[in-house]
């Protein structure tokens, strides 16, 4: 029997609620199966750890994760700690330390979910946004001088490398090629940013020659926001820089109904290190401890985790259970206009996961 070693890092806020819910669902999936099981190891890194130790995770923390098969992450963010410390001290440390250069964000309007776009049919919105996750605007290059003086200066330099752009373009073209429409939109801003973004466009053209069957186009990031709202069906796979995709994917999540539903995977496509899966929402301290968090974003992230582990049938089973639950308005959490609690939704997904298994065995 295969044992998948899964590191669980709940982090802060509602991350501490949705990650255990994700574990419960994965456990339900493994129950009664004789070909695989999960071994979970939890890490208490995040804001509370920072208050005790002055760092978000131990210096040698990456070594504790290195031999895991995957990481399930909650969120990092604490109202009492500056955001750049929580982000750089934990999430980015793992993403960059493990060179998880492809951040993949699928968006669909799940059954039963009422999106905010009036004229958008469910089938019109089926996107995967690929975010460059290792450099660009988040390269960490920059600094401050003359602090506290009138001539104070601060810079954040967006840094793009040919190798970094080539690998994310190749990943995005390959992903687009694997989807039925074989359609890729390359998001750019080369009209205003005339160095790195022009190289980005040139490399997109170069890599496109390796994928003659993929239809692709280029869109300025500002125009892309309008296109997402006005012509959602014209998009399928989208690739964008670290910052652009960060913003576009929050818009995508809102257009699909709620931030609480959207999943993401931080992938090392070469599988040198473990990849990390997490809901895209943050720590949401306003609803923490109330049992109100929507766990669907975490469950969908578990679907991505299962796909990455090479368990497509289990991934489909979990996605089917999720869609059965979202189709029932009585099982909607408050962010979706319902009144169900997180535990109720979690128990329902676990029940369906087991029912689907029984049905498949009986067939
Ligand atoms: P952070 O600083 O960590 O990014 P945040 O609270 O500023 O956290 P988010 O957590 O992304 O930002 O959430 C914004 C709002 O969306 C929250 O205040 C919360 O009300 C709502 N929200 C986010 N995630 C969920 C969820 N899983 N279930 C229900 N509501 C959610």
């Amino acid at each position: 029997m295969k044992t998948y070693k899964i590191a669980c890092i709940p982090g802060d806020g509602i991350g501490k609620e949705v990650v255990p819910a994700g574990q419960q669902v994965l456990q339900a999936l493994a129950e009664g199966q004789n070909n695989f099981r999960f071994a979970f190891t939890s890490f208490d890194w995040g804001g509370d750890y920072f208050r005790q130790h002055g760092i978000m995770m131990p210096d040698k923390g990456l070594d504790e994760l290195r031999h895991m098969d995957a990481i399930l992450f909650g969120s990092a963010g604490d109202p009492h700690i500056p955001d750049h410390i929580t982000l750089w001290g934990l999430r980015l440390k793992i993403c960059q330390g493990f060179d998880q250069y492809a951040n993949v964000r699928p968006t669909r309007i799940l059954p039963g979910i009422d999106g905010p776009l009036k004229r958008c049919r469910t089938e019109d919105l089926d996107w995967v946004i690929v975010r460059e996750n290792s450099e660009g605007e988040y390269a960490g290059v920059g600094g401050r001088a003359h602090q506290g003086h009138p001539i104070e200066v601060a810079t954040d330099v967006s840094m793009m490398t040919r190798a970094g752009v080539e690998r994310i373009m190749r990943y995005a073209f390959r992903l687009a090629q694997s989807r039925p429409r074989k359609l890729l939109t390359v998001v750019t801003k080369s009209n205003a940013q005339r160095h790195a973004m022009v190289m980005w466009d040139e490399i997109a053209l170069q890599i496109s020659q390796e994928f003659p069957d993929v239809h692709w186009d280029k869109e300025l990031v500002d125009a892309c926001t309008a296109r997402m709202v006005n012509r959602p069906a014209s998009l399928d796979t989208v690739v964008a820089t670290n910052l652009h995709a960060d913003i576009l994917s929050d818009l995508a999540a809102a257009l699909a109904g709620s931030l609480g539903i959207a999943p993401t995977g931080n992938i090392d496509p070469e599988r040198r290190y473990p990849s990390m899966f997490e809901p895209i929402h943050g720590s949401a301290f306003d609803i923490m401890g109330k049992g109100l968090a929507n766990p669907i974003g975490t469950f969908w992230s578990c679907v991505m985790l299962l796909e990455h582990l090479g368990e497509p049938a289990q991934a489909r089973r979990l996605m089917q259970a999720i869609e059965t639950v979202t189709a029932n308005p009585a099982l909607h959490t408050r962010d979706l206009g319902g009144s169900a609690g997180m535990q109720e939704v979690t128990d329902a997904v676990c029940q369906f996961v087991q029912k689907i298994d029984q049905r498949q065995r009986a067939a």
Side-chain angles (χ1 to χ4, degrees), residues 49-166:
Y49 190 93
F50 181 87
R51 273 181 279 277
Q52 279 176 28
H53 305 277
I55 41 177
M56 293 288 288
M57 65 182 275
D59 287 337
K60 296 231 159 68
L62 290 185
D63 291 335
E64 297 183 51
L65 302 176
R66 204 174 295 279
H67 304 293
M68 297 286 175
D69 293 305
I71 304 166
L72 182 61
F73 188 84
S75 67
D78 186 301
H80 307 293
I81 307 172
D83 283 344
H84 64 276
I85 291 180
T86 53
L87 185 64
W88 281 93
L90 186 54
R91 202 182 149 270
L92 287 183
K93 195 164 168 171
I94 298 170
C95 288
Q96 299 196 344
F98 287 157
D99 203 18
Q100 296 162 342
Y101 65 84
N103 181 251
V104 181
R105 303 184 162 199
T107 310
R108 273 196 296 127
I109 302 179
L110 297 185
I113 305 292
D114 202 11
L117 292 180
K118 269 192 262 143
R119 290 189 304 272
C120 178
R121 296 166 306 169
T122 310
E123 61 270 28
D124 289 341
L125 201 162
D126 183 356
W127 305 329
V128 185
I129 298 180
V130 177
R131 169 182 178 185
E132 200 299 313
N133 210 30
S134 67
E135 53 178 39
E137 306 88 344
Y138 293 13
V141 178
R144 290 175 74 170
H146 309 303
Q147 259 171 294
H149 297 283
I151 56 165
E152 182 165 356
V153 60
T155 59
D156 271 303
V157 179
S158 171
M159 191 200 65
M160 287 191 195
T161 61
R162 171 164 284 277
V165 179
E166 281 183 1

Side-chain angles (χ1 to χ4, degrees), residues 10 23 26 88 106 108 133 139 154-155 172 176 179 184 191-193 225 233 236 262 281 293 320 322 331 336 341:
Q23 270 177 259
L26 287 175
W88 281 93
R108 273 196 296 127
N133 210 30
T155 59
R179 288 169 55 85
L184 176 70
N191 58 341
Q193 294 177 301
T225 57
D236 186 82
H281 63 75
Q320 211 180 325
I322 291 172
L331 290 170
L336 296 173

Side-chain angles (χ1 to χ4, degrees), residues 12 14 18 75-78 83 86 250 258-261 279-287 292-298 333-336:
D12 303 316
I14 60 168
V18 293
S75 67
D78 186 301
D83 283 344
T86 53
D250 260 34
S258 168
L259 207 53
I261 291 176
I280 83 160
H281 63 75
S283 49
F285 268 75
D286 54 329
I287 55 167
L292 296 174
N294 187 344
I296 297 292
T298 304
T333 42
R334 208 174 61 172
D335 55 309
L336 296 173

Side-chain angles (χ1 to χ4, degrees), residues 161-216:
T161 61
R162 171 164 284 277
V165 179
E166 281 183 1
R167 65 185 186 175
I168 199 65
M169 286 297 170
R170 202 165 273 123
Y171 184 88
F173 270 97
R174 199 169 289 136
L175 182 64
Q177 193 179 44
S178 74
R179 288 169 55 85
R181 294 176 69 194
K182 299 189 192 309
L183 183 65
L184 176 70
T185 298
V186 175
V187 176
T188 185
K189 191 63 192 167
S190 50
N191 58 341
Q193 294 177 301
R194 58 202 177 127
H195 307 295
M197 292 312 297
V198 172
M199 183 179 80
W200 170 269
D201 291 0
E202 286 168 4
I203 292 174
L205 177 61
Q206 170 206 323
I207 300 296
S208 73
Q209 332 266 299
E210 298 171 20
F211 299 88
D213 54 337
V214 174
H215 303 284
W216 73 286

Side-chain angles (χ1 to χ4, degrees), residues 240-258:
T241 68
N242 217 328
L243 176 65
H244 291 166
D246 188 16
I247 298 165
L248 293 180
S249 54
D250 260 34
L251 173 59
L255 295 178
S258 168

